[in-house]
Amino acid sequence: MVEEKFHRLLFIPVAAVLFLTIGYQYVCPTDRTSCSLRGEDGGLFQRSSSGFQLVSSDPDPDEDLPARITSRFNFTERDLDRHVDFDIRGEDVMVFLHIQKTGGTTFGRHLVKNIQLERPCDCLPGQRKCTCHRPGRAESWLFSRFSTGWSCGLHADWTELTTCVPGVMGRRDRKTPARSRRNFYYITMLRDPVSRYLSEWKHVQRGATWKTALHMCDGRPPTQDELPACYSGEDWTGVALADFMNCPSNLANNRQVRMLADLSLVGCYNMSSMSELERGRVLLASAKANLRNMAFYGLTEFQRKTQYLFERTFGLRFIRAFTQINSTRAASVGIGEKVRWRIEGLNALDVELYEYARELFLRRYQHDRQRRHREERLRRRRERQRRHRTYLSRLLRLGGGAEEEEEDEEEEVEEEEVAATTEDYSSQVVRW
């Protein structure tokens, strides 16, 4: 009897040592010479001579994330965390702000033809528009060129869309019973300003004009004096780059800032309402704020990351992967340094906006990847702890004897809190 009790008492420390040994093998496998120090986000960081730097465990073959992102702007946690509860069955509407020559046509086709949906968009051969209805209801969840057409005007900007979209969507769905207020989630695409400008020049050179665009602001379009034409004929076919750059009223200049800003803040197209310097400052600040508070935006130069962030933001999945195409018409245009400097000068606001957008975009990508790795690491830790508890419980039962009753005590798993925000994300949504 005494010998049996002695064996049982001896079994407990032996089992504990065995438990720790097994647990150590999960953290430091025997094929490693030592256990390296991990940072708070272990698995994402490697130690280098200059500290810790981000490395990707799931590298993108086309677009590598820079090891270090030079920080020029102060972004908050709220700026970086971009998950929205888009309810395709409810009242939510995705609004695509299509800026010329930013890859918006390709992205727009992805929206209507490449998303895994319970009720896919109905795209008939030979027709430009698709029908994108909610599951079980004849209401559209997408406002875009390829779903609703140019309902608010050709390439409508932020100022036009935010005024026009609620009324258009209300009229389109007037046959359905009155419902609660809709949530509008605005999205867009941006592009490197020099490449975008050259692409627009080549497009105009081939005969494009966009002269049917409305440019509505504060309830009216601009007068001819406020927005004079750059050409006298039907179009600007064959225009030289120098002539394209020399037109002061050319809307290609700083187009991305103009289309993302609230033009009401600067008197719309009335250039005499304030100085050029003050006008540019107000427009740039407004464009940055609107871009930052949009539900989502992508960058033409980062197709795979654009796909990743869209899927993570809206909880939707694409059927086929996005393709990065660098052999564009703009890429084939050879320009000297002086011409490039001139284009950058004409698009100084767009250059500043794009630097802002690029840093925020890459930081959002980095932030989400780190969060995913933390969640996966926590899941693996819980699974290891579950297996350890099961194994130790079996060992204790074997050592305690079949005649004794054993009480199973649930250990509380030490959970690593995944960073979450409780802030109101109403700035991502325009409610009407």
Side-chain angles (χ1 to χ4, degrees):
M1 190 70 173
V2 175
E3 184 178 356
E4 184 179 351
K5 288 184 178 180
F6 174 75
H7 287 163
R8 291 177 183 174
L9 291 174
L10 182 63
F11 177 79
I12 294 176
V14 171
V17 172
L18 183 59
F19 171 77
L20 292 174
T21 302
I22 295 173
Y24 182 80
Q25 293 299 316
Y26 279 105
V27 180
C28 299
T30 54
D31 59 345
R32 295 185 186 178
T33 55
S34 63
C35 280
S36 60
L37 177 64
R38 294 189 176 194
E40 183 181 353
D41 293 297
L44 283 176
F45 290 83
Q46 289 182 347
R47 181 180 289 279
S48 64
S49 58
S50 58
F52 289 97
Q53 66 181 28
L54 179 73
V55 294
S56 174
S57 63
D58 183 20
D60 189 327
D62 300 322
E63 309 149 332
D64 292 331
L65 183 67
R68 293 178 183 176
I69 303 173
T70 303
S71 179
R72 284 191 54 203
F73 309 99
N74 295 321
F75 297 116
T76 66
E77 177 78 12
R78 185 175 181 278
D79 296 331
L80 301 180
D81 194 339
R82 231 40 183 181
H83 176 78
V84 297
D85 295 322
F86 183 74
D87 185 6
I88 198 170
R89 289 179 167 274
E91 305 303 319
D92 296 348
V93 178
M94 193 181 300
V95 182
F96 180 36
L97 194 164
H98 186 169
I99 303 174
Q100 290 95 317
K101 313 314 293 180
T102 59
T105 298
T106 299
F107 186 76
R109 289 197 179 103
H110 281 307
L111 293 177
V112 297
K113 295 183 178 181
N114 193 26
I115 298 182
Q116 295 179 3
L117 297 172
E118 179 182 343
R119 184 177 182 178
C121 294
D122 187 11
C123 301
L124 298 178
Q127 293 188 2
R128 293 188 176 183
K129 292 192 298 183
C130 303
T131 302
C132 297
H133 283 164
R134 307 180 191 277
R137 287 159 56 188
E139 291 183 8
S140 180
W141 58 269
L142 175 65
F143 187 99
S144 77
R145 166 188 177 182
F146 292 115
S147 59
T148 54
W150 300 113
S151 302
C152 290
L154 180 63
H155 287 287
D157 55 36
W158 188 92
T159 307
E160 293 176 287
L161 287 176
T162 52
T163 304
C164 168
V165 168
V168 169
M169 295 304 294
R171 289 192 297 272
R172 286 181 61 88
D173 300 333
R174 65 182 181 274
K175 294 181 181 180
T176 59
R179 299 182 185 277
S180 59
R181 294 183 302 172
R182 291 179 176 85
N183 298 325
F184 296 101
Y185 293 85
Y186 284 80
I187 64 176
T188 193
M189 290 288 292
L190 295 182
R191 186 179 180 184
D192 168 74
V194 175
S195 297
R196 199 214 65 80
Y197 189 84
L198 289 172
S199 182
E200 180 164 341
W201 164 58
K202 296 297 289 184
H203 199 56
V204 169
Q205 193 181 54
R206 296 192 302 273
T209 62
W210 299 302
K211 59 184 178 182
T212 59
L214 301 176
H215 305 304
M216 294 292 292
C217 179
D218 285 351
R220 68 174 182 87
T223 65
Q224 189 172 359
D225 290 336
E226 290 174 334
L227 189 61
C230 287
Y231 52 91
S232 56
E234 287 296 317
D235 55 42
W236 216 359
T237 301
V239 59
L241 179 57
D243 294 334
F244 189 76
M245 292 189 293
N246 286 336
C247 179
S249 60
N250 190 349
L251 291 181
N253 300 338
N254 294 310
R255 184 180 288 279
Q256 295 180 100
V257 165
R258 182 186 63 80
M259 292 193 68
L260 290 174
D262 182 357
L263 300 181
S264 299
L265 299 175
V266 295
C268 299
Y269 292 89
N270 181 7
M271 301 300 172
S272 63
S273 61
M274 62 181 65
S275 68
E276 183 179 356
L277 185 63
E278 178 65 11
R279 180 183 177 87
R281 185 192 66 79
V282 173
L283 285 176
L284 179 60
S286 177
K288 285 181 177 180
N290 289 338
L291 183 72
R292 184 176 63 249
N293 292 323
M294 279 185 172
F296 165 83
Y297 71 89
L299 298 182
T300 307
E301 290 76 15
F302 297 94
Q303 291 291 318
R304 297 282 291 276
K305 289 178 176 60
T306 293
Q307 176 181 353
Y308 173 90
L309 284 178
F310 180 91
E311 292 178 338
R312 293 288 290 174
T313 299
F314 287 99
L316 300 171
R317 293 293 179 268
F318 289 101
I319 300 169
R320 297 175 302 278
F322 285 17
T323 303
Q324 186 70 49
I325 301 176
N326 296 318
S327 57
T328 61
R329 289 187 175 92
S332 65
V333 177
I335 58 173
E337 283 300 310
K338 289 185 178 180
V339 175
R340 175 174 289 276
W341 293 340
R342 176 83 189 283
I343 294 174
E344 290 176 347
L346 291 171
N347 294 272
L349 299 180
D350 271 12
V351 170
E352 175 69 17
L353 176 68
Y354 186 78
E355 290 180 0
Y356 180 89
R358 185 179 186 275
E359 181 179 329
L360 179 56
F361 178 87
L362 292 177
R363 288 199 177 281
R364 283 179 176 175
Y365 177 80
Q366 181 187 61
H367 177 80
D368 193 85
R369 291 288 296 275
Q370 290 175 353
R371 181 174 61 183
R372 286 194 67 182
H373 280 276
R374 286 196 299 268
E375 292 170 353
E376 178 61 22
R377 195 167 61 253
L378 178 58
R379 186 193 64 77
R380 291 197 301 265
R381 175 186 294 181
R382 288 171 173 169
E383 178 61 22
R384 287 197 301 267
Q385 290 173 332
R386 185 191 66 78
R387 291 200 299 264
H388 293 169
R389 289 198 306 272
T390 301
Y391 188 73
L392 183 58
S393 176
R394 291 174 180 173
L395 289 176
L396 292 174
R397 280 199 298 270
L398 290 173
E403 72 279 7
E404 292 186 3
E405 265 188 43
E406 178 186 337
E407 293 185 27
D408 293 330
E409 297 182 0
E410 290 289 336
E411 289 185 20
E412 290 188 4
V413 179
E414 189 177 325
E415 295 189 0
E416 181 180 303
E417 291 188 5
V418 179
T421 178
T422 57
E423 296 192 56
D424 178 17
Y425 279 85
S426 58
S427 61
Q428 299 176 25
V429 187
V430 179
R431 292 186 173 86
W432 295 84

